[in-house]
Structure formats: structure tokens, C-alpha cells
């Protein structure tokens, strides 16, 4: 596979039914298949690293495989002795007492060009042989290894990755099943970087130190409580429903985000992953809980920024009215709705008369103040359904839904009269302006947004040609 993919980094592993590795299947195209694999090709513009990590240190004890069946992954003899006997001597226990714990804590390794490769043992067999999880050939030199600092080694690896590419947003990986066994025997649940709890009959029956610290309670205090008591009131029904559906088997597993409640009253954002386990015939939930407050706060900040960007992309920054971009996106939709309902839509195009004189005499800041004042005047004379746009420069556009030509012409005249009476103060200046208006109505003056705007623009120029400060209709 690596040869076929060239320089594309590859990571992966095998899955098994527990530790049997005999009945695994791949589901594809509606059927379960044997002898198959899943290949996922990931393409990303983000920086990434492929890595492997282990916490095993080879000992000086070297042995040689003297008889093996590589196809079956079985080693019969090591140093001319039964393989299980030789391995048991290396780890210091009788053959009869070998367990999966020993295989997890003391794998064999092969050193190639200074790099170690783990060769994990699956089982010791009745005939004295050892079955491995990968092929072992005769003549191979093996060394016993001991595990040290599993969690510390993993933390060090992630520190190196964060230094190289920043804090990872996503980690994908395959873990040796024996590592899980080793973690269980080493009690790493208690040292976990995530909170872990057991829930039975609505109460906690176990919690690790990370979970206790996360919510600010002692272990004894946690055991006196249940999940809902560590949840803000608004989220309790949601959390209870997720846990209930998982316990009853309505869903295979449950993953959800909720707002937790610390002992001191502070609220934290938490992510919960729960699954069911059977203990002594009783069903209980084992849940992993992560404090994602920092991530959630960043996501909320991003949502606020995105909303701000949406607002800014649709609004004119000077007047606060909708801009030309939003007009292009929304006007055609409004006309479609009007055509379906048989309602008229009128457009008023307005242009401030001799606006260049304002800028030349008072300056552009004064001109901006006049534009803002006119925008506010438009809003004051608006119905809830009216839509106002700054079209370009000193030109503005009003879309009046459900209003026929006569009503639109009356609205334009009202706005014209109000503007003529308005005085805009800027510095020592008192500025008076007028405006010309052109009115067009759907469907009489046009059935498309372009046609209506063109008709209103034509009426506007008629008003300007007639000495300005007036409203004209397109008909």
C-alpha cells in the first residue's frame, strides 16, 4: 500500500472482536466482507504531522527465533526452547501464570537501523508456542521491553507536535489493544487527562481525579450526587434524555455537549461520551467528560464575528442602510413573492440635489453627515415592510412592498417635503439640501428588478430635468 501511495503518509491498524481477531468484517455497499480493509484518503490545507509513539525501553536480553511459522504468526522455539517458556523466563513468571497483562507490559521488540519495532504477543498456546499479532520469521533477534511512563510519553509527543504545528484541532489514530490492557492494570484511568465517571441508578459510583477537579468537588461529594446535579437547570432535561436513551438501548452510544455547574456556581462547557457496560448483571454508564470551555468560548466568538461580517457585508457602513450587494441578492426574491401573491411593489429612487456643492463647500465629513441624516429620515418615514438601500454615492433606493404607484408617489412627496425642512448642523455650518425622486411600480413599469430600477431611474432624471426637488412617476 505504501509503495502504491508514494510519498503520502500512511497510518492505520487492524480491528478485532475483542482480542480474538477472528470474526472482523468490513461493511461496504450493504454487505459485510472478510479479508477487506478501508482506505480513507484525507486532503487538507492545514498543517499536519504523522507520528507514532510508544513508551517501551528495550532490555539487554536478546533471544533468537529458532523455529516459526510466519504465515500463521506462530513462534514455536526461541533459543531452541519452547517459545512460551523462554518468554516467561524473560519476564520472570512461570509459564502457567502468563496473562495478557504480561504481553501488554512486556512486548518483544526488533531493532532495525537503531529504530525499535514492537512485536506484541497475542497468546501462549498449549503446545508451548507463542502467537504474535504480526509475522515473525526464523532467525529474527528479539529483545524484551519494559513500559515506562505511558501517559508522560504521550504528553511529550503532543508537546512536540504543538511546538511544530500549533495546538491540534483533530487527532486521528490507531492504538494497540494491549495498550488499553496495560492502562487498565496501571490505573491510568485515575491519571487520565479527561474526566471519567461510572453512573448507576442516576448517581455516580466512580469518578477519577480529573472529573472531581473539573467540577470542584471531592470524590466523596461527587458520589453523593448525580449527573443532573452537575448540570445547569436549562440543560437537565436534555442530559437526562441522552443518558436514558443510552441506558435503554435506544441508541448505541451518546455524545453530546452540555453546560456543567461547578461547586462554586461557575458554568463550564462540557462534552460527554457515554457507553453502557454490564457489571455483575447490572447496566451502568461509563462516561468520558471533557472541559471544552475554552474551545466553546472561541467558537462563540467566531459565530459573533461571522454574524458581524454578515451584517457588514449586507449594510452600508456610513448610513446603516442595506447596500447594493444586499439589493442584488434580495430584490428579485421579493418580486417573485409579489408575483405569486398578486401584490404590487413600488420602487423609489432618490438623489440628493447638487450634493457635490455640499462636499466642495463644507467638506466630505459634512457630506457624510448629510448622508447619515437622510438615511435616518428614510427610516423615520418607513413602514415595517419597507426596505431601504444606499444605492451608490448620494443615490438611495426604497422598495415598498404591497404599495401601488399612487401610494408610492405620495410617500416620495412626504419624504421630499421632510428633507426640504431638515437642517443638518456640522461644525459652524447649517446645511440644507433637497432631493429628487423617481417612482416605478411592479408589474406596470417592469417585471424584473433591473427593469424596475431602470424605470425609477428614468423617472428620477425626469424630476431632475424639471428643476429638481420633486417626485415623478415612471408612468
Amino acid at each position: 500500500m505504501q509503495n502504491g501511495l508514494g510519498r503520502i503518509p500512511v497510518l492505520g491498524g487492524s480491528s478485532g472482536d475483542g482480542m480474538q481477531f477472528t470474526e472482523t468484517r468490513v461493511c461496504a455497499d450493504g454487505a459485510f466482507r472478510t479479508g477487506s480493509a478501508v482506505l480513507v484518503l484525507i486532503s487538507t490545507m492545514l498543517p499536519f504531522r504523522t507520528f507514532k509513539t510508544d513508551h517501551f525501553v528495550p532490555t539487554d536480553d536478546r533471544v533468537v527465533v529458532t523455529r516459526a511459522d510466519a504465515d500463521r504468526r506462530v513462534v514455536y522455539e526461541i533459543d531452541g526452547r519452547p517459545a512460551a517458556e523462554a518468554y516467561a523466563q524473560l519476564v520472570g513468571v512461570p509459564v502457567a501464570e502468563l496473562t495478557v497483562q504480561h504481553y501488554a507490559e512486556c512486548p518483544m521488540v526488533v531493532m532495525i537501523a537503531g529504530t525499535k519495532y514492537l512485536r506484541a504477543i497475542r497468546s501462549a498456546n498449549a503446545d508451548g508456542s507463542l502467537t504474535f499479532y504480526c509475522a515473525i520469521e526464523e532467525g529474527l533477534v528479539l529483545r524484551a521491553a519494559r513500559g515506562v511512563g505511558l501517559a508522560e510519553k504521550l504528553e511529550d509527543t503532543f508537546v512536540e507536535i504543538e511546538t511544530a504545528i500549533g495546538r491540534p484541532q483533530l487527532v486521528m489514530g490507531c492504538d494497540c489493544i494491549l495498550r488499553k490492557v496495560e492502562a487498565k492494570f496501571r490505573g491510568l484511568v485515575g491519571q487520565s487527562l479527561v474526566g471519567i465517571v461510572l453512573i448507576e441508578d442516576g448517581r455516580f459510583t466512580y469518578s477519577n481525579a480529573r472529573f472531581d477537579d473539573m467540577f470542584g468537588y471531592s470524590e466523596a461529594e461527587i458520589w453523593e450526587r448525580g449527573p443532573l446535579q452537575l448540570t445547569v437547570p436549562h440543560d437537565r432535561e436534555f442530559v437526562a434524555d441522552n443518558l436514558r436513551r443510552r441506558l435503554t438501548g435506544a441508541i448505541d452510544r451518546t455524545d453530546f455537549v452540555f453546560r456543567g455547574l461547578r461547586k462554586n456556581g461557575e458554568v463550564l462547557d462540557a462534552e460527554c461520551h457515554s457507553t453502557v457496560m454490564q457489571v455483575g448483571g447490572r447496566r451502568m454508564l461509563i462516561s468520558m467528560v471533557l472541559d471544552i470551555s475554552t474551545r466553546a468560548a472561541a467558537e462563540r466568538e467566531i459565530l459573533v464575528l461571522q454574524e458581524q461580517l454578515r451584517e457588514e457585508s449586507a449594510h452600508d457602513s456610513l448610513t446603516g442602510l442595506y447596500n447594493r450587494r444586499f439589493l442584488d441578492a434580495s430584490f428579485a426574491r421579493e418580486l417573485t413573492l409579489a408575483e405569486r401573491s398578486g401584490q404590487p411593489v413600488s420602487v423609489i429612487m432618490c438623489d440628493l440635489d447638487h450634493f457635490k456643492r455640499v462636499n466642495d463647500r463644507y467638506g466630505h465629513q459634512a457630506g457624510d453627515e448629510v448622508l447619515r441624516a437622510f438615511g435616518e429620515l428614510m427610516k423615520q418615514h418607513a413602514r415595517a415592510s419597507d426596505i431601504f438601500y444606499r444605492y451608490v454615492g448620494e443615490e438611495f433606493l426604497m422598495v415598498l412592498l404591497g404599495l401601488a404607484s399612487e401610494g408610492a408617489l405620495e410617500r416620495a412627496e412626504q419624504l421630499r417635503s421632510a428633507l426640504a425642512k431638515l437642517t443638518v448642523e456640522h461644525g459652524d455650518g447649517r446645511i440644507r439640501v433637497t432631493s429628487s425622486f423617481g417612482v416605478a411600480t411592479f408589474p406596470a413599469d417592469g417585471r424584473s428588478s433591473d427593469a424596475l430600477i431602470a424605470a425609477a431611474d428614468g423617472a428620477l432624471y425626469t424630476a431632475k430635468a424639471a428643476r429638481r426637488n420633486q417626485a415623478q412617476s415612471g408612468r
Side-chain angles (χ1 to χ4, degrees):
M1 183 179 291
Q2 181 68 76
N3 290 337
L5 292 174
R7 298 176 61 185
I8 299 176
V10 176
L11 61 90
S14 303
S15 62
D17 51 324
M19 297 185 66
Q20 301 304 311
F21 289 85
T22 56
E23 297 295 329
T24 56
R25 300 286 191 273
V26 168
C27 184
D29 299 327
F32 288 94
R33 307 170 188 275
T34 60
S36 302
V38 176
L39 174 64
V40 179
L41 186 63
I42 300 174
S43 176
T44 178
M45 298 295 291
L46 299 174
F48 71 96
R49 290 290 186 277
T50 56
F51 69 96
K52 67 174 184 176
T53 179
D54 68 75
H55 62 293
F56 294 102
V57 177
T59 67
D60 293 329
D61 299 320
R62 292 176 173 83
V63 294
V64 179
V65 177
T66 51
R67 188 162 73 92
D69 185 340
D71 291 337
R72 296 180 57 215
R73 304 181 178 183
V74 176
V75 174
Y76 294 98
E77 292 181 0
I78 293 176
D79 286 346
R81 301 162 55 197
E85 178 184 318
Y87 175 76
Q89 183 177 346
L90 287 173
V91 298
V93 299
V95 173
E97 294 180 15
L98 285 175
T99 67
V100 68
Q101 178 184 354
H102 298 108
Y103 310 147
E105 293 185 334
C106 304
M108 306 299 284
V109 299
V110 179
M111 301 299 296
I112 301 176
T115 301
K116 65 178 180 291
Y117 296 87
L118 299 182
R119 294 295 182 261
I121 298 170
R122 175 177 157 189
S123 63
N125 306 315
D127 61 0
S129 64
L130 293 173
T131 299
F132 285 72
Y133 282 106
C134 56
I136 302 290
E137 297 180 346
E138 292 180 1
L140 199 63
V141 177
L142 299 175
R143 298 170 67 173
R146 300 282 181 177
V148 292
L150 190 158
E152 291 81 359
K153 179 63 177 177
L154 188 60
E155 284 185 318
D156 290 343
T157 300
F158 276 98
V159 168
E160 294 172 4
I161 293 171
E162 186 168 345
T163 301
I165 64 172
R167 188 174 183 84
Q169 298 181 26
L170 174 68
V171 178
M172 301 178 62
C174 301
D175 202 5
C176 176
I177 191 170
L178 294 182
R179 179 174 293 201
K180 178 180 178 181
V181 173
E182 181 187 11
K184 177 180 177 181
F185 283 96
R186 286 176 177 266
L188 286 183
V189 164
Q191 304 174 30
S192 176
L193 301 178
V194 301
I196 298 177
V197 288
L198 293 180
I199 304 169
E200 185 179 4
D201 297 328
R203 305 192 72 81
F204 297 118
T205 56
Y206 169 82
S207 63
N208 69 347
R210 179 69 185 98
F211 185 87
D212 300 341
D213 292 343
M214 191 183 304
F215 286 89
Y217 290 96
S218 68
E219 182 181 48
E221 289 173 324
I222 288 289
W223 288 22
E224 293 173 354
R225 290 164 170 77
L228 301 187
Q229 292 170 278
L230 304 186
T231 305
V232 298
H234 183 271
D235 289 358
R236 286 174 184 169
E237 184 177 349
F238 168 74
V239 171
D241 182 61
N242 272 278
L243 299 181
R244 177 192 58 77
R245 290 193 298 149
R246 183 62 192 95
L247 273 173
T248 59
I251 52 178
D252 293 332
R253 62 174 295 120
T254 178
D255 307 305
F256 59 91
V257 173
F258 69 100
R259 288 173 296 167
L261 192 61
R262 292 190 173 103
K263 182 179 180 179
N264 63 6
E266 292 181 355
V267 175
L268 74 151
D269 293 284
E271 184 175 279
C272 181
H273 305 268
S274 297
T275 188
V276 170
M277 60 185 299
Q278 295 277 355
V279 178
R282 305 190 312 274
R283 291 171 66 86
M284 61 176 61
L285 279 174
I286 179 168
S287 299
M288 292 190 303
V289 181
L290 295 82
D291 184 349
I292 60 167
S293 298
T294 301
R295 188 185 83 191
E299 290 173 349
R300 286 192 290 268
E301 185 176 347
I302 289 172
L303 289 175
V304 170
L305 291 174
Q306 288 175 337
E307 182 60 31
Q308 289 177 349
L309 288 174
R310 278 193 292 269
E311 284 292 309
E312 290 173 3
S313 68
H315 288 81
D316 172 56
S317 59
L318 179 64
T319 64
L321 304 178
Y322 287 117
N323 57 23
R324 179 74 173 269
R325 182 184 295 110
F326 187 73
L327 171 68
D328 294 338
S330 62
F331 193 17
R333 180 178 65 248
E334 297 295 345
L335 290 181
T336 299
L337 294 175
E339 186 167 21
R340 290 176 182 171
S341 63
Q343 294 293 314
V345 175
S346 289
V347 174
I348 301 176
M349 177 80 80
C350 50
D351 181 271
L352 298 182
D353 298 330
H354 302 299
F355 186 70
K356 185 176 182 301
R357 296 179 185 175
V358 175
N359 284 330
D360 291 344
R361 180 176 178 181
Y362 298 101
H364 287 280
Q365 289 185 347
D368 288 348
E369 194 62 40
V370 171
L371 293 174
R372 278 192 288 266
F374 184 60
E376 288 301 316
L377 193 65
M378 293 173 71
K379 295 175 186 176
Q380 293 170 13
H381 287 74
R383 303 172 304 167
S385 60
D386 295 341
I387 310 173
F388 296 90
Y389 307 87
R390 184 181 177 191
Y391 191 65
V392 62
E394 65 271 21
E395 292 188 10
F396 296 80
L397 188 75
M398 292 173 278
V399 175
L400 311 178
L401 304 178
L403 198 62
S405 178
E406 294 77 8
L409 196 59
E410 183 179 345
R411 289 285 304 282
E413 178 58 30
Q414 291 171 356
L415 191 56
R416 183 206 64 78
S417 177
L419 179 62
K421 298 174 184 176
L422 180 68
T423 299
V424 179
E425 296 185 0
H426 180 78
D428 296 332
R430 294 171 58 82
I431 308 168
R432 302 284 295 270
V433 294
T434 61
S435 183
S436 301
F437 298 82
V439 178
T441 302
F442 168 88
D445 297 320
R447 305 190 69 88
S448 69
S449 56
D450 289 343
L452 271 179
I453 292 173
D457 196 41
L460 170 64
Y461 277 91
T462 300
K464 282 186 169 295
R467 303 184 64 180
R468 296 181 171 83
N469 192 24
Q470 58 184 276
Q472 294 285 341
S473 173
R475 285 184 286 176

